[in-house]
Amino acid sequence: MTSYPRIAIIGAGPGGLTLARILHRAGMPATVFEREEHALARPQGGTLDLHAESGQLALRRAGLYEEFLAIARYEDQGSRLYDKNAKLLFADDDAAESDRPEVDRTALRNILLASLPEELVRWNHGLLEVRPRDDGTYDLVFETEIVGPFDLVVGADGSWSKVRPLVSSYRPQYSGITFIEFGIDDIDASHPDLAALVGRGKIGIEADGRGMIVQRNGNSHVRGYAIFRVPTDWAEKTFDFASPAKARVRLAAEFEGWAPEIIGLIDASNDHIVSRPIHALPVGHHWQNRLGITLLGDAAHVMSPFGGEGVNAAMLDAAELARQLLENADWKDAVKAYEADMFERVIEPAAQAAEAVATELSHLGAELSLQHYKAHLEARLQSSAA
Ligand SMILES: Cc1cc2nc3c(=O)[nH]c(=O)nc-3n(C[C@H](O)[C@H](O)[C@H](O)COP(=O)(O)OP(=O)(O)OC[C@H]3O[C@@H](n4cnc5c(N)ncnc54)[C@H](O)[C@@H]3O)c2cc1C
């Protein structure tokens, strides 16, 4: 009889669930512990583009490619750049042939969850601490119980991982950039003029040392990020998030002098207005292998979202860790091999994301953004010609 390591996965995000699914499909047991009370406890956030060589590859290995195609929005890959007067500087409206379709996070989580037995994910289990035992195994300490022992604990618990301190003393650092997130529901029916401004994909606007990215999600929803280079506590001091009406007015005031239709995007926002300070671990973050502990996704290498690589990197980590565990006779060697590859693999996307956040809102303003948009189009055309 095969003897498998007892595996605990902390976090039911895209990384943790992809790992759980691939292992489950191959018959290797693992339990996921998630702090949220249930699958619908919180909206999972905006839209993500899944890349062929990483996010999509992971879903293929998970046997969920058909399910992915059913939620993929190929039609929403366009991009536009406007100036603050709503004059169009750049448009790539014809991108439906690209291979980086958008999926909504909630839809992605749903297809992963639907592919797993219910009892495999233990909701309402916010990890407080991983406690080593003398025999090299680990107990998981939750508010109401201690669960264990486990041979292998995988931290897939995001930026503020409670598993990471067992292998690394690094914590994500504030990048200097804060997003204020807002959203417009049912935009096609409620605000067709704003829907036309956004088009099928995302728009960017940058001027006066501030910016905005607004992106079409599924179900006629649009999500926006107002972008500022400010101290960490600026948003909490500036906005009364408990009163969305006040937060909306205050946010619109930040864009005084911009075209009414751009400010209209904020005016049309629903009451979900929140601050998202952007943090990242250092490029090249790594650790000495420690028996029975590893990390994947944001827990291992959170990066700024400007490169659009975070979820793709998390899912590829999961697919690669699963592959190593399934192919390798010794799970300890599997984890070492996974870590060695992963440390190398994420250096380039992490460096690009670090450069992107460092140059965001530079004095070159829209000129630099225009270069990025053009370079992106060029790369897209080259890859579809190849
Ligand atoms: C504003 C913003 C926009 C972004 N846009 C993009 C984008 O367009 N494209 C892209 O690729 N990436 C984007 N990202 C990055 C992307 O969200 C992450 O890289 C991705 O979600 C990482 O997946 P993960 O599974 O590693 O972690 P997460 O998605 O963070 O999932 C971690 C899970 O662990 C759970 N958890 C946390 N702590 C505990 C605990 N103590 N105990 C138990 N469970 C716990 C959480 O509830 C969560 O379910 C964006 C990020 C931000 C902030």
Side-chain angles (χ1 to χ4, degrees), residues 9-18 32-37 42 44-51 102-103 105 108-109 122-129 141-142 155-163 179 181 202 215 223-225 275-279 296-315 317-318:
I9 301 168
I10 314 301
L17 289 178
T18 302
V32 180
F33 296 90
E34 165 59 49
R35 74 175 165 200
E36 289 171 9
E37 276 172 34
R42 148 186 98 82
Q44 289 301 300
T47 183
L48 301 160
D49 55 320
L50 292 193
H51 304 172
E102 298 288 331
V103 297
R105 276 175 202 260
L108 177 61
R109 191 188 231 189
R122 298 186 57 184
W123 300 96
N124 210 3
H125 276 73
L127 180 75
L128 299 177
E129 184 194 337
V141 182
F142 301 99
D157 49 342
S159 306
W160 306 105
S161 172
K162 289 278 199 294
V163 183
F179 287 5
E181 180 180 311
K202 74 160 193 246
Q215 203 166 15
R223 186 167 298 240
Y225 302 106
S275 156
R276 301 221 181 270
I278 303 301
H279 289 79
L296 63 76
D298 279 8
H301 46 65
V302 59
M303 53 187 91
S304 95
F306 288 101
E309 288 287 346
V311 81
N312 289 287
M315 292 172 73
D317 287 355

Side-chain angles (χ1 to χ4, degrees), residues 11 13 25 106 117 131-132 157-158 162 181 186 201 209 262 264 285 341 363:
R25 195 168 175 233
T106 305
R131 193 172 286 165
D157 49 342
K162 289 278 199 294
E181 180 180 311
D186 199 18
I262 298 176
H285 177 243
D341 288 352
H363 74 287

Side-chain angles (χ1 to χ4, degrees), residues 148-369:
F150 291 96
D151 301 300
L152 176 60
V153 179
V154 181
D157 49 342
S159 306
W160 306 105
S161 172
K162 289 278 199 294
V163 183
R164 190 170 52 230
L166 279 90
V167 290
S168 165
S169 55
Y170 279 94
R171 284 174 65 76
Q173 294 296 303
Y174 177 56
S175 65
I177 294 287
T178 288
F179 287 5
I180 307 293
E181 180 180 311
F182 59 94
I184 306 168
D185 300 321
D186 199 18
I187 192 167
D188 296 307
S190 63
H191 296 89
D193 49 338
L194 299 181
L197 184 77
V198 175
R200 300 300 319 193
K202 74 160 193 246
I203 63 170
I205 313 148
E206 188 178 336
D208 308 332
R210 61 207 67 200
M212 216 187 271
I213 293 175
V214 182
Q215 203 166 15
R216 182 175 276 274
N217 290 217
N219 302 318
S220 208
H221 181 75
V222 155
R223 186 167 298 240
Y225 302 106
I227 307 173
F228 304 96
R229 182 168 290 283
V230 284
T232 342
D233 57 355
W234 176 81
E236 294 308 325
K237 284 183 177 163
T238 306
F239 297 97
D240 180 359
F241 291 112
S243 163
K246 282 189 197 158
R248 221 173 356 251
V249 170
R250 183 67 188 79
L251 185 58
E254 283 293 326
F255 294 91
E256 204 185 323
W258 289 35
E261 52 269 57
I262 298 176
I263 297 177
L265 291 163
I266 298 171
D267 294 339
S269 171
N270 61 25
D271 286 350
H272 178 79
I273 301 179
V274 292
S275 156
R276 301 221 181 270
I278 303 301
H279 289 79
L281 281 163
V283 177
H285 177 243
H286 63 281
W287 57 89
Q288 285 261 310
N289 175 259
R290 175 172 179 171
L291 180 62
I293 300 285
T294 197
L295 306 174
L296 63 76
D298 279 8
H301 46 65
V302 59
M303 53 187 91
S304 95
F306 288 101
E309 288 287 346
V311 81
N312 289 287
M315 292 172 73
L316 186 57
D317 287 355
E320 281 299 283
L321 176 55
R323 184 179 66 76
Q324 293 285 1
L325 287 167
L326 295 168
E327 287 179 0
N328 219 304
D330 184 342
W331 66 266
K332 301 176 195 98
D333 292 339
V335 172
K336 283 184 195 157
Y338 152 74
E339 288 177 349
D341 288 352
M342 181 266 287
F343 294 149
E344 281 299 311
R345 185 170 64 238
V346 295
I347 288 176
E348 194 184 323
Q352 284 174 358
E355 162 130 14
V357 77
T359 53
E360 179 68 16
L361 306 180
S362 85
H363 74 287
L364 300 175
E367 194 188 310
L368 197 56
S369 302

